[in-house]
Amino acid sequence: MSKAAELANLIGNINAGGGGVNRNLVINGAMNVAQRSTSVTGLGANGTNYSTVDRFYTYANGTAGRFTMTQDSSAPDGFANSLKLDCTTADTSIAAAEQLVLAQVIEGQNLQRIKKGTANALPVAVSFYVKGNASATYMCALVDNDNNRMSTKQFSVTTDWTRITINVPADTTGALDDDNAGSFNLNFYLHAGSNLTGGTYTESTWGASTDANRAVGISSFFDSTDRTFFITGVQLEVGQNPTEFEHKTFGQDLIECQRYYTQETAASGSPYKRYGFGGWNTSTAGEIFIPLSTPMRDSPPTLVSKAAANYQAYSANATDALTAIAINAESNNGTNNRIVGLTFSTSGGGVAGEAVQVTATNDTASYLALDAEL
Amino acid sequence: MAIENAKYIKGDISGENMAINCVWDGQHLSVPIAVGNRHYDEIKKQVDEGKLTIADAD
């Protein structure tokens, strides 16, 4: 895009109520943050799966196809990372209900600037970079979960990085809830059966979110184990014209991601990593607290861990293996909490009232995470 | 997703069920009993469909 065109787009978007700093409504669009893992194999079983790059999940249903998801270093100029899907098991016999979607959900309270469902509703622009192992056609759908509406647009993938730009018109029907629930889904349909392909393709027009119209005319990501799909630079902004991707520092991306998921991970130099501190309530039970640098979207979050025996209570220079660990949902109700409590049990060794830490047990692969994803 | 070994956890102060511990696709989760939490909503769905039983708390 020429500088003149970029400037014209930016001015156009500012005039339409968008533009400027923090214009990108997608979090971690440059795929820089991957707290959970940088590569996970064998994905494709039924259900929602947040596995590598933060905030982006895959949803699979009914397919025998399997894939590896990776934070990959292949990226267009100006980017360091992309999200890569690599088909490892093909599925060429596609049943009606099958689907594979890559998606991000966006909170309604972050979308109020669009003024959707009002007479002053604004258009939005979606943009992203994609490439694959060969030519393919997939579908990008912006889905309004609050009002069961969507706007779809097919896009083409080639073997070179290509920037896709999509203009989504203003929608005066269906206001978005002003809360911390998911109001928009930005969906990329990569594989689908006739339940999602058997309808009518309508390009960039808001209408009812009819299943049969979601993925009309797309290729199948699972048609061959040669198949790959790379994506980065995902942006959703107010305005009629996509502008250049809004890059953020790693720290900014990480903070935004930690509203939804935060993970402490041991490393080679920290096999006894400390996860939190608190006190014993009895000789076999206690509670620790984990201060949060970023209040999470919802509280209490889900605790994600290894089995309890992989952690220990450490107090008065003695250790006791945990027999159970749980989120304390009594003390964290509400939102914007800056501390999360965990309860734990041991077989003994505690002294009521004595301070205690919970640590890893000489385990460089140890981790403890809190999940408030949508 | 595969959810196994689901068990209620009681709060120390209230003495009432506050969370559900389970193994979810091989990961150990402690899920607060809160509608809107995506893990709790899936557990409740599987319980309602008769696919999952939650053991009583100790």
PDB file of all heavy atoms in Angstrom, chain A residues 46-48 50 300-305 307 325-327 329-330 367 371 373-374, chain B residues 1 9 11-15 18-19 21 25 27-32 36-39:
ATOM      1  N   ASN A  46     -13.085 -33.181  18.581  1.00  0.00           N
ATOM      2  CA  ASN A  46     -14.237 -32.294  18.777  1.00  0.00           C
ATOM      3  C   ASN A  46     -14.003 -31.288  19.895  1.00  0.00           C
ATOM      4  O   ASN A  46     -13.471 -31.628  20.941  1.00  0.00           O
ATOM      5  CB  ASN A  46     -15.482 -33.117  19.128  1.00  0.00           C
ATOM      6  CG  ASN A  46     -15.980 -33.914  17.948  1.00  0.00           C
ATOM      7  OD1 ASN A  46     -15.469 -33.787  16.842  1.00  0.00           O
ATOM      8  ND2 ASN A  46     -16.987 -34.732  18.186  1.00  0.00           N
ATOM      9  N   GLY A  47     -14.433 -30.064  19.665  1.00  0.00           N
ATOM     10  CA  GLY A  47     -14.432 -29.074  20.729  1.00  0.00           C
ATOM     11  C   GLY A  47     -13.535 -27.887  20.465  1.00  0.00           C
ATOM     12  O   GLY A  47     -12.883 -27.772  19.423  1.00  0.00           O
ATOM     13  N   THR A  48     -13.548 -26.975  21.439  1.00  0.00           N
ATOM     14  CA  THR A  48     -12.758 -25.749  21.383  1.00  0.00           C
ATOM     15  C   THR A  48     -11.395 -25.997  21.998  1.00  0.00           C
ATOM     16  O   THR A  48     -11.290 -26.637  23.047  1.00  0.00           O
ATOM     17  CB  THR A  48     -13.491 -24.641  22.174  1.00  0.00           C
ATOM     18  OG1 THR A  48     -14.742 -24.388  21.542  1.00  0.00           O
ATOM     19  CG2 THR A  48     -12.666 -23.372  22.226  1.00  0.00           C
ATOM     20  N   TYR A  50      -7.785 -23.913  22.889  1.00  0.00           N
ATOM     21  CA  TYR A  50      -6.735 -22.892  22.928  1.00  0.00           C
ATOM     22  C   TYR A  50      -5.439 -23.647  23.161  1.00  0.00           C
ATOM     23  O   TYR A  50      -5.258 -24.236  24.228  1.00  0.00           O
ATOM     24  CB  TYR A  50      -6.978 -21.913  24.069  1.00  0.00           C
ATOM     25  CG  TYR A  50      -8.117 -20.937  23.855  1.00  0.00           C
ATOM     26  CD1 TYR A  50      -9.412 -21.232  24.259  1.00  0.00           C
ATOM     27  CD2 TYR A  50      -7.886 -19.707  23.257  1.00  0.00           C
ATOM     28  CE1 TYR A  50     -10.451 -20.335  24.072  1.00  0.00           C
ATOM     29  CE2 TYR A  50      -8.915 -18.790  23.065  1.00  0.00           C
ATOM     30  CZ  TYR A  50     -10.190 -19.111  23.480  1.00  0.00           C
ATOM     31  OH  TYR A  50     -11.209 -18.212  23.297  1.00  0.00           O
ATOM     32  N   PRO A 300     -13.822 -15.955  39.779  1.00  0.00           N
ATOM     33  CA  PRO A 300     -12.526 -16.611  39.690  1.00  0.00           C
ATOM     34  C   PRO A 300     -12.311 -17.268  38.341  1.00  0.00           C
ATOM     35  O   PRO A 300     -13.269 -17.727  37.719  1.00  0.00           O
ATOM     36  CB  PRO A 300     -12.607 -17.674  40.787  1.00  0.00           C
ATOM     37  CG  PRO A 300     -14.059 -17.991  40.873  1.00  0.00           C
ATOM     38  CD  PRO A 300     -14.785 -16.723  40.602  1.00  0.00           C
ATOM     39  N   PRO A 301     -11.066 -17.350  37.898  1.00  0.00           N
ATOM     40  CA  PRO A 301     -10.770 -18.071  36.664  1.00  0.00           C
ATOM     41  C   PRO A 301     -10.659 -19.564  36.921  1.00  0.00           C
ATOM     42  O   PRO A 301     -10.712 -20.006  38.065  1.00  0.00           O
ATOM     43  CB  PRO A 301      -9.418 -17.479  36.255  1.00  0.00           C
ATOM     44  CG  PRO A 301      -8.766 -17.164  37.565  1.00  0.00           C
ATOM     45  CD  PRO A 301      -9.877 -16.743  38.499  1.00  0.00           C
ATOM     46  N   THR A 302     -10.497 -20.333  35.861  1.00  0.00           N
ATOM     47  CA  THR A 302     -10.205 -21.759  35.993  1.00  0.00           C
ATOM     48  C   THR A 302      -8.716 -21.930  36.276  1.00  0.00           C
ATOM     49  O   THR A 302      -7.884 -21.268  35.648  1.00  0.00           O
ATOM     50  CB  THR A 302     -10.571 -22.498  34.690  1.00  0.00           C
ATOM     51  OG1 THR A 302     -11.979 -22.427  34.491  1.00  0.00           O
ATOM     52  CG2 THR A 302     -10.139 -23.951  34.737  1.00  0.00           C
ATOM     53  N   LEU A 303      -8.397 -22.807  37.228  1.00  0.00           N
ATOM     54  CA  LEU A 303      -6.997 -23.151  37.489  1.00  0.00           C
ATOM     55  C   LEU A 303      -6.593 -24.285  36.559  1.00  0.00           C
ATOM     56  O   LEU A 303      -7.292 -25.301  36.476  1.00  0.00           O
ATOM     57  CB  LEU A 303      -6.825 -23.587  38.947  1.00  0.00           C
ATOM     58  CG  LEU A 303      -5.477 -24.209  39.311  1.00  0.00           C
ATOM     59  CD1 LEU A 303      -4.360 -23.176  39.220  1.00  0.00           C
ATOM     60  CD2 LEU A 303      -5.530 -24.838  40.698  1.00  0.00           C
ATOM     61  N   VAL A 304      -5.484 -24.127  35.858  1.00  0.00           N
ATOM     62  CA  VAL A 304      -4.953 -25.155  34.953  1.00  0.00           C
ATOM     63  C   VAL A 304      -3.599 -25.585  35.506  1.00  0.00           C
ATOM     64  O   VAL A 304      -2.722 -24.738  35.729  1.00  0.00           O
ATOM     65  CB  VAL A 304      -4.784 -24.608  33.525  1.00  0.00           C
ATOM     66  CG1 VAL A 304      -4.324 -25.716  32.581  1.00  0.00           C
ATOM     67  CG2 VAL A 304      -6.076 -23.967  33.031  1.00  0.00           C
ATOM     68  N   SER A 305      -3.425 -26.885  35.741  1.00  0.00           N
ATOM     69  CA  SER A 305      -2.193 -27.332  36.404  1.00  0.00           C
ATOM     70  C   SER A 305      -1.832 -28.742  35.985  1.00  0.00           C
ATOM     71  O   SER A 305      -2.563 -29.410  35.250  1.00  0.00           O
ATOM     72  CB  SER A 305      -2.388 -27.282  37.919  1.00  0.00           C
ATOM     73  OG  SER A 305      -3.325 -28.272  38.330  1.00  0.00           O
ATOM     74  N   ALA A 307      -0.938 -32.598  37.791  1.00  0.00           N
ATOM     75  CA  ALA A 307      -1.532 -33.286  38.942  1.00  0.00           C
ATOM     76  C   ALA A 307      -0.957 -32.708  40.236  1.00  0.00           C
ATOM     77  O   ALA A 307       0.189 -32.239  40.275  1.00  0.00           O
ATOM     78  CB  ALA A 307      -1.251 -34.775  38.856  1.00  0.00           C
ATOM     79  N   ILE A 325      -5.215 -29.610  44.878  1.00  0.00           N
ATOM     80  CA  ILE A 325      -5.100 -28.163  44.713  1.00  0.00           C
ATOM     81  C   ILE A 325      -6.342 -27.701  43.959  1.00  0.00           C
ATOM     82  O   ILE A 325      -6.820 -28.405  43.060  1.00  0.00           O
ATOM     83  CB  ILE A 325      -3.794 -27.777  43.985  1.00  0.00           C
ATOM     84  CG1 ILE A 325      -3.609 -26.259  43.980  1.00  0.00           C
ATOM     85  CG2 ILE A 325      -3.741 -28.362  42.586  1.00  0.00           C
ATOM     86  CD1 ILE A 325      -2.211 -25.823  43.537  1.00  0.00           C
ATOM     87  N   ALA A 326      -6.889 -26.554  44.357  1.00  0.00           N
ATOM     88  CA  ALA A 326      -8.145 -26.099  43.741  1.00  0.00           C
ATOM     89  C   ALA A 326      -8.218 -24.576  43.752  1.00  0.00           C
ATOM     90  O   ALA A 326      -7.593 -23.915  44.592  1.00  0.00           O
ATOM     91  CB  ALA A 326      -9.346 -26.679  44.497  1.00  0.00           C
ATOM     92  N   ILE A 327      -8.989 -24.054  42.814  1.00  0.00           N
ATOM     93  CA  ILE A 327      -9.281 -22.625  42.818  1.00  0.00           C
ATOM     94  C   ILE A 327     -10.176 -22.322  44.020  1.00  0.00           C
ATOM     95  O   ILE A 327     -11.082 -23.098  44.339  1.00  0.00           O
ATOM     96  CB  ILE A 327      -9.990 -22.199  41.503  1.00  0.00           C
ATOM     97  CG1 ILE A 327     -10.068 -20.686  41.388  1.00  0.00           C
ATOM     98  CG2 ILE A 327     -11.374 -22.827  41.354  1.00  0.00           C
ATOM     99  CD1 ILE A 327      -8.776 -20.041  40.997  1.00  0.00           C
ATOM    100  N   ALA A 329     -12.970 -20.511  45.014  1.00  0.00           N
ATOM    101  CA  ALA A 329     -14.059 -19.747  44.414  1.00  0.00           C
ATOM    102  C   ALA A 329     -14.892 -19.026  45.470  1.00  0.00           C
ATOM    103  O   ALA A 329     -15.873 -18.366  45.139  1.00  0.00           O
ATOM    104  CB  ALA A 329     -14.945 -20.668  43.579  1.00  0.00           C
ATOM    105  N   GLU A 330     -14.502 -19.149  46.735  1.00  0.00           N
ATOM    106  CA  GLU A 330     -15.217 -18.411  47.779  1.00  0.00           C
ATOM    107  C   GLU A 330     -14.727 -16.969  47.892  1.00  0.00           C
ATOM    108  O   GLU A 330     -15.475 -16.079  48.247  1.00  0.00           O
ATOM    109  CB  GLU A 330     -14.993 -19.073  49.145  1.00  0.00           C
ATOM    110  CG  GLU A 330     -15.791 -20.322  49.380  1.00  0.00           C
ATOM    111  CD  GLU A 330     -15.620 -20.816  50.806  1.00  0.00           C
ATOM    112  OE1 GLU A 330     -14.475 -20.783  51.303  1.00  0.00           O
ATOM    113  OE2 GLU A 330     -16.610 -21.224  51.415  1.00  0.00           O
ATOM    114  N   TYR A 367       4.271 -25.940  35.577  1.00  0.00           N
ATOM    115  CA  TYR A 367       3.547 -24.721  35.231  1.00  0.00           C
ATOM    116  C   TYR A 367       2.294 -24.629  36.087  1.00  0.00           C
ATOM    117  O   TYR A 367       1.839 -25.622  36.669  1.00  0.00           O
ATOM    118  CB  TYR A 367       3.158 -24.693  33.740  1.00  0.00           C
ATOM    119  CG  TYR A 367       2.135 -25.730  33.374  1.00  0.00           C
ATOM    120  CD1 TYR A 367       0.767 -25.443  33.419  1.00  0.00           C
ATOM    121  CD2 TYR A 367       2.519 -27.011  32.992  1.00  0.00           C
ATOM    122  CE1 TYR A 367      -0.181 -26.402  33.103  1.00  0.00           C
ATOM    123  CE2 TYR A 367       1.583 -27.972  32.682  1.00  0.00           C
ATOM    124  CZ  TYR A 367       0.233 -27.668  32.734  1.00  0.00           C
ATOM    125  OH  TYR A 367      -0.687 -28.620  32.432  1.00  0.00           O
ATOM    126  N   ASP A 371      -7.159 -19.380  33.691  1.00  0.00           N
ATOM    127  CA  ASP A 371      -7.813 -19.263  32.392  1.00  0.00           C
ATOM    128  C   ASP A 371      -9.171 -18.582  32.549  1.00  0.00           C
ATOM    129  O   ASP A 371     -10.041 -19.093  33.254  1.00  0.00           O
ATOM    130  CB  ASP A 371      -7.998 -20.674  31.803  1.00  0.00           C
ATOM    131  CG  ASP A 371      -8.542 -20.671  30.380  1.00  0.00           C
ATOM    132  OD1 ASP A 371      -9.343 -19.771  30.051  1.00  0.00           O
ATOM    133  OD2 ASP A 371      -8.179 -21.570  29.605  1.00  0.00           O
ATOM    134  N   GLU A 373     -10.584 -17.342  29.544  1.00  0.00           N
ATOM    135  CA  GLU A 373     -10.897 -17.152  28.122  1.00  0.00           C
ATOM    136  C   GLU A 373     -12.392 -17.247  27.848  1.00  0.00           C
ATOM    137  O   GLU A 373     -13.143 -17.860  28.581  1.00  0.00           O
ATOM    138  CB  GLU A 373     -10.164 -18.211  27.280  1.00  0.00           C
ATOM    139  CG  GLU A 373      -8.852 -17.746  26.700  1.00  0.00           C
ATOM    140  CD  GLU A 373      -9.023 -16.622  25.677  1.00  0.00           C
ATOM    141  OE1 GLU A 373     -10.169 -16.238  25.381  1.00  0.00           O
ATOM    142  OE2 GLU A 373      -8.004 -16.115  25.200  1.00  0.00           O
ATOM    143  N   LEU A 374     -12.764 -16.650  26.740  1.00  0.00           N
ATOM    144  CA  LEU A 374     -14.155 -16.699  26.305  1.00  0.00           C
ATOM    145  C   LEU A 374     -14.434 -18.011  25.583  1.00  0.00           C
ATOM    146  O   LEU A 374     -13.551 -18.603  25.008  1.00  0.00           O
ATOM    147  CB  LEU A 374     -14.432 -15.523  25.372  1.00  0.00           C
ATOM    148  CG  LEU A 374     -14.512 -14.174  26.076  1.00  0.00           C
ATOM    149  CD1 LEU A 374     -14.271 -13.035  25.095  1.00  0.00           C
ATOM    150  CD2 LEU A 374     -15.881 -14.012  26.720  1.00  0.00           C
TER     151      LEU A 374
ATOM    152  N   MET B   1     -14.499 -32.695  23.859  1.00  0.00           N
ATOM    153  CA  MET B   1     -13.404 -32.850  24.791  1.00  0.00           C
ATOM    154  C   MET B   1     -13.720 -33.913  25.831  1.00  0.00           C
ATOM    155  O   MET B   1     -14.877 -34.123  26.187  1.00  0.00           O
ATOM    156  CB  MET B   1     -13.088 -31.516  25.469  1.00  0.00           C
ATOM    157  CG  MET B   1     -14.235 -30.894  26.203  1.00  0.00           C
ATOM    158  SD  MET B   1     -15.468 -30.142  25.104  1.00  0.00           S
ATOM    159  CE  MET B   1     -14.497 -28.918  24.271  1.00  0.00           C
ATOM    160  N   ILE B   9     -15.472 -29.686  44.961  1.00  0.00           N
ATOM    161  CA  ILE B   9     -14.592 -29.190  46.011  1.00  0.00           C
ATOM    162  C   ILE B   9     -15.390 -28.210  46.879  1.00  0.00           C
ATOM    163  O   ILE B   9     -16.034 -27.290  46.351  1.00  0.00           O
ATOM    164  CB  ILE B   9     -13.369 -28.458  45.415  1.00  0.00           C
ATOM    165  CG1 ILE B   9     -12.606 -29.382  44.457  1.00  0.00           C
ATOM    166  CG2 ILE B   9     -12.464 -27.929  46.516  1.00  0.00           C
ATOM    167  CD1 ILE B   9     -11.965 -30.582  45.108  1.00  0.00           C
ATOM    168  N   GLY B  11     -15.812 -25.240  49.833  1.00  0.00           N
ATOM    169  CA  GLY B  11     -15.102 -24.122  50.424  1.00  0.00           C
ATOM    170  C   GLY B  11     -14.917 -24.306  51.912  1.00  0.00           C
ATOM    171  O   GLY B  11     -15.790 -24.864  52.588  1.00  0.00           O
ATOM    172  N   ASP B  12     -13.774 -23.861  52.420  1.00  0.00           N
ATOM    173  CA  ASP B  12     -13.493 -24.037  53.847  1.00  0.00           C
ATOM    174  C   ASP B  12     -14.438 -23.223  54.717  1.00  0.00           C
ATOM    175  O   ASP B  12     -14.817 -23.645  55.812  1.00  0.00           O
ATOM    176  CB  ASP B  12     -12.044 -23.605  54.148  1.00  0.00           C
ATOM    177  CG  ASP B  12     -11.034 -24.551  53.533  1.00  0.00           C
ATOM    178  OD1 ASP B  12     -11.396 -25.712  53.289  1.00  0.00           O
ATOM    179  OD2 ASP B  12      -9.890 -24.117  53.295  1.00  0.00           O
ATOM    180  N   ILE B  13     -14.793 -22.040  54.260  1.00  0.00           N
ATOM    181  CA  ILE B  13     -15.609 -21.151  55.091  1.00  0.00           C
ATOM    182  C   ILE B  13     -17.097 -21.473  54.957  1.00  0.00           C
ATOM    183  O   ILE B  13     -17.791 -21.684  55.944  1.00  0.00           O
ATOM    184  CB  ILE B  13     -15.348 -19.674  54.723  1.00  0.00           C
ATOM    185  CG1 ILE B  13     -13.891 -19.325  55.007  1.00  0.00           C
ATOM    186  CG2 ILE B  13     -16.291 -18.745  55.511  1.00  0.00           C
ATOM    187  CD1 ILE B  13     -13.479 -17.947  54.551  1.00  0.00           C
ATOM    188  N   SER B  14     -17.568 -21.551  53.721  1.00  0.00           N
ATOM    189  CA  SER B  14     -18.998 -21.778  53.507  1.00  0.00           C
ATOM    190  C   SER B  14     -19.376 -23.237  53.703  1.00  0.00           C
ATOM    191  O   SER B  14     -20.515 -23.552  54.059  1.00  0.00           O
ATOM    192  CB  SER B  14     -19.389 -21.339  52.092  1.00  0.00           C
ATOM    193  OG  SER B  14     -18.824 -22.218  51.130  1.00  0.00           O
ATOM    194  N   GLY B  15     -18.441 -24.152  53.466  1.00  0.00           N
ATOM    195  CA  GLY B  15     -18.759 -25.577  53.526  1.00  0.00           C
ATOM    196  C   GLY B  15     -19.601 -26.039  52.359  1.00  0.00           C
ATOM    197  O   GLY B  15     -20.093 -27.171  52.338  1.00  0.00           O
ATOM    198  N   MET B  18     -17.816 -25.247  45.783  1.00  0.00           N
ATOM    199  CA  MET B  18     -17.411 -23.991  45.147  1.00  0.00           C
ATOM    200  C   MET B  18     -16.709 -24.227  43.813  1.00  0.00           C
ATOM    201  O   MET B  18     -16.593 -23.319  42.997  1.00  0.00           O
ATOM    202  CB  MET B  18     -16.451 -23.217  46.058  1.00  0.00           C
ATOM    203  CG  MET B  18     -15.137 -23.923  46.311  1.00  0.00           C
ATOM    204  SD  MET B  18     -13.937 -22.879  47.150  1.00  0.00           S
ATOM    205  CE  MET B  18     -12.527 -23.986  47.194  1.00  0.00           C
ATOM    206  N   ALA B  19     -16.202 -25.444  43.600  1.00  0.00           N
ATOM    207  CA  ALA B  19     -15.445 -25.719  42.379  1.00  0.00           C
ATOM    208  C   ALA B  19     -15.579 -27.192  42.019  1.00  0.00           C
ATOM    209  O   ALA B  19     -16.075 -28.005  42.811  1.00  0.00           O
ATOM    210  CB  ALA B  19     -13.972 -25.359  42.575  1.00  0.00           C
ATOM    211  N   ASN B  21     -13.062 -30.134  40.402  1.00  0.00           N
ATOM    212  CA  ASN B  21     -11.759 -30.564  39.876  1.00  0.00           C
ATOM    213  C   ASN B  21     -11.969 -31.697  38.879  1.00  0.00           C
ATOM    214  O   ASN B  21     -12.813 -32.572  39.099  1.00  0.00           O
ATOM    215  CB  ASN B  21     -10.844 -31.023  41.001  1.00  0.00           C
ATOM    216  CG  ASN B  21     -10.196 -29.857  41.736  1.00  0.00           C
ATOM    217  OD1 ASN B  21     -10.609 -28.706  41.561  1.00  0.00           O
ATOM    218  ND2 ASN B  21      -9.204 -30.151  42.548  1.00  0.00           N
ATOM    219  N   ASP B  25      -9.088 -33.279  28.840  1.00  0.00           N
ATOM    220  CA  ASP B  25      -8.147 -33.565  27.739  1.00  0.00           C
ATOM    221  C   ASP B  25      -6.720 -33.721  28.265  1.00  0.00           C
ATOM    222  O   ASP B  25      -5.760 -33.225  27.667  1.00  0.00           O
ATOM    223  CB  ASP B  25      -8.199 -32.470  26.673  1.00  0.00           C
ATOM    224  CG  ASP B  25      -9.466 -32.549  25.829  1.00  0.00           C
ATOM    225  OD1 ASP B  25     -10.109 -33.609  25.809  1.00  0.00           O
ATOM    226  OD2 ASP B  25      -9.803 -31.543  25.187  1.00  0.00           O
ATOM    227  N   GLN B  27      -5.346 -32.417  30.926  1.00  0.00           N
ATOM    228  CA  GLN B  27      -4.887 -31.359  31.829  1.00  0.00           C
ATOM    229  C   GLN B  27      -5.747 -31.350  33.094  1.00  0.00           C
ATOM    230  O   GLN B  27      -6.942 -31.628  33.031  1.00  0.00           O
ATOM    231  CB  GLN B  27      -4.987 -29.989  31.162  1.00  0.00           C
ATOM    232  CG  GLN B  27      -3.793 -29.643  30.290  1.00  0.00           C
ATOM    233  CD  GLN B  27      -3.776 -28.180  29.929  1.00  0.00           C
ATOM    234  OE1 GLN B  27      -4.791 -27.634  29.493  1.00  0.00           O
ATOM    235  NE2 GLN B  27      -2.638 -27.527  30.085  1.00  0.00           N
ATOM    236  N   HIS B  28      -5.131 -31.002  34.207  1.00  0.00           N
ATOM    237  CA  HIS B  28      -5.869 -30.929  35.465  1.00  0.00           C
ATOM    238  C   HIS B  28      -6.466 -29.533  35.612  1.00  0.00           C
ATOM    239  O   HIS B  28      -5.734 -28.533  35.601  1.00  0.00           O
ATOM    240  CB  HIS B  28      -4.939 -31.248  36.643  1.00  0.00           C
ATOM    241  CG  HIS B  28      -4.497 -32.681  36.658  1.00  0.00           C
ATOM    242  ND1 HIS B  28      -5.035 -33.630  37.489  1.00  0.00           N
ATOM    243  CD2 HIS B  28      -3.587 -33.334  35.884  1.00  0.00           C
ATOM    244  CE1 HIS B  28      -4.473 -34.803  37.251  1.00  0.00           C
ATOM    245  NE2 HIS B  28      -3.588 -34.644  36.274  1.00  0.00           N
ATOM    246  N   LEU B  29      -7.784 -29.471  35.731  1.00  0.00           N
ATOM    247  CA  LEU B  29      -8.467 -28.187  35.879  1.00  0.00           C
ATOM    248  C   LEU B  29      -9.196 -28.135  37.207  1.00  0.00           C
ATOM    249  O   LEU B  29      -9.713 -29.141  37.687  1.00  0.00           O
ATOM    250  CB  LEU B  29      -9.496 -27.973  34.760  1.00  0.00           C
ATOM    251  CG  LEU B  29      -9.033 -27.960  33.305  1.00  0.00           C
ATOM    252  CD1 LEU B  29     -10.183 -27.482  32.400  1.00  0.00           C
ATOM    253  CD2 LEU B  29      -7.817 -27.084  33.101  1.00  0.00           C
ATOM    254  N   SER B  30      -9.240 -26.947  37.787  1.00  0.00           N
ATOM    255  CA  SER B  30     -10.116 -26.672  38.917  1.00  0.00           C
ATOM    256  C   SER B  30     -11.049 -25.559  38.457  1.00  0.00           C
ATOM    257  O   SER B  30     -10.616 -24.420  38.253  1.00  0.00           O
ATOM    258  CB  SER B  30      -9.313 -26.256  40.147  1.00  0.00           C
ATOM    259  OG  SER B  30     -10.186 -26.089  41.249  1.00  0.00           O
ATOM    260  N   VAL B  31     -12.308 -25.909  38.270  1.00  0.00           N
ATOM    261  CA  VAL B  31     -13.266 -25.029  37.590  1.00  0.00           C
ATOM    262  C   VAL B  31     -14.237 -24.428  38.597  1.00  0.00           C
ATOM    263  O   VAL B  31     -14.932 -25.177  39.304  1.00  0.00           O
ATOM    264  CB  VAL B  31     -14.048 -25.833  36.530  1.00  0.00           C
ATOM    265  CG1 VAL B  31     -15.056 -24.944  35.814  1.00  0.00           C
ATOM    266  CG2 VAL B  31     -13.102 -26.494  35.539  1.00  0.00           C
ATOM    267  N   PRO B  32     -14.296 -23.114  38.722  1.00  0.00           N
ATOM    268  CA  PRO B  32     -15.273 -22.517  39.636  1.00  0.00           C
ATOM    269  C   PRO B  32     -16.695 -22.800  39.177  1.00  0.00           C
ATOM    270  O   PRO B  32     -16.951 -22.868  37.965  1.00  0.00           O
ATOM    271  CB  PRO B  32     -14.957 -21.018  39.559  1.00  0.00           C
ATOM    272  CG  PRO B  32     -14.303 -20.836  38.243  1.00  0.00           C
ATOM    273  CD  PRO B  32     -13.540 -22.100  37.978  1.00  0.00           C
ATOM    274  N   GLY B  36     -21.149 -19.076  32.792  1.00  0.00           N
ATOM    275  CA  GLY B  36     -20.385 -18.144  31.976  1.00  0.00           C
ATOM    276  C   GLY B  36     -18.924 -18.523  31.890  1.00  0.00           C
ATOM    277  O   GLY B  36     -18.245 -18.147  30.941  1.00  0.00           O
ATOM    278  N   ASN B  37     -18.436 -19.287  32.892  1.00  0.00           N
ATOM    279  CA  ASN B  37     -17.097 -19.857  32.783  1.00  0.00           C
ATOM    280  C   ASN B  37     -17.191 -20.967  31.738  1.00  0.00           C
ATOM    281  O   ASN B  37     -18.004 -21.887  31.858  1.00  0.00           O
ATOM    282  CB  ASN B  37     -16.654 -20.422  34.134  1.00  0.00           C
ATOM    283  CG  ASN B  37     -15.306 -21.129  34.046  1.00  0.00           C
ATOM    284  OD1 ASN B  37     -15.154 -22.131  33.363  1.00  0.00           O
ATOM    285  ND2 ASN B  37     -14.340 -20.596  34.767  1.00  0.00           N
ATOM    286  N   ARG B  38     -16.381 -20.901  30.677  1.00  0.00           N
ATOM    287  CA  ARG B  38     -16.566 -21.814  29.549  1.00  0.00           C
ATOM    288  C   ARG B  38     -16.361 -23.273  29.957  1.00  0.00           C
ATOM    289  O   ARG B  38     -16.998 -24.175  29.390  1.00  0.00           O
ATOM    290  CB  ARG B  38     -15.635 -21.444  28.394  1.00  0.00           C
ATOM    291  CG  ARG B  38     -14.159 -21.619  28.665  1.00  0.00           C
ATOM    292  CD  ARG B  38     -13.306 -21.013  27.561  1.00  0.00           C
ATOM    293  NE  ARG B  38     -11.894 -21.183  27.827  1.00  0.00           N
ATOM    294  CZ  ARG B  38     -11.155 -22.178  27.343  1.00  0.00           C
ATOM    295  NH1 ARG B  38     -11.698 -23.067  26.543  1.00  0.00           N
ATOM    296  NH2 ARG B  38      -9.875 -22.271  27.627  1.00  0.00           N
ATOM    297  N   HIS B  39     -15.488 -23.516  30.939  1.00  0.00           N
ATOM    298  CA  HIS B  39     -15.291 -24.895  31.392  1.00  0.00           C
ATOM    299  C   HIS B  39     -16.502 -25.381  32.187  1.00  0.00           C
ATOM    300  O   HIS B  39     -16.973 -26.502  31.994  1.00  0.00           O
ATOM    301  CB  HIS B  39     -14.020 -24.982  32.245  1.00  0.00           C
ATOM    302  CG  HIS B  39     -12.770 -24.642  31.491  1.00  0.00           C
ATOM    303  ND1 HIS B  39     -12.032 -23.503  31.737  1.00  0.00           N
ATOM    304  CD2 HIS B  39     -12.139 -25.276  30.471  1.00  0.00           C
ATOM    305  CE1 HIS B  39     -10.996 -23.464  30.914  1.00  0.00           C
ATOM    306  NE2 HIS B  39     -11.037 -24.510  30.138  1.00  0.00           N
TER     307      HIS B  39
END
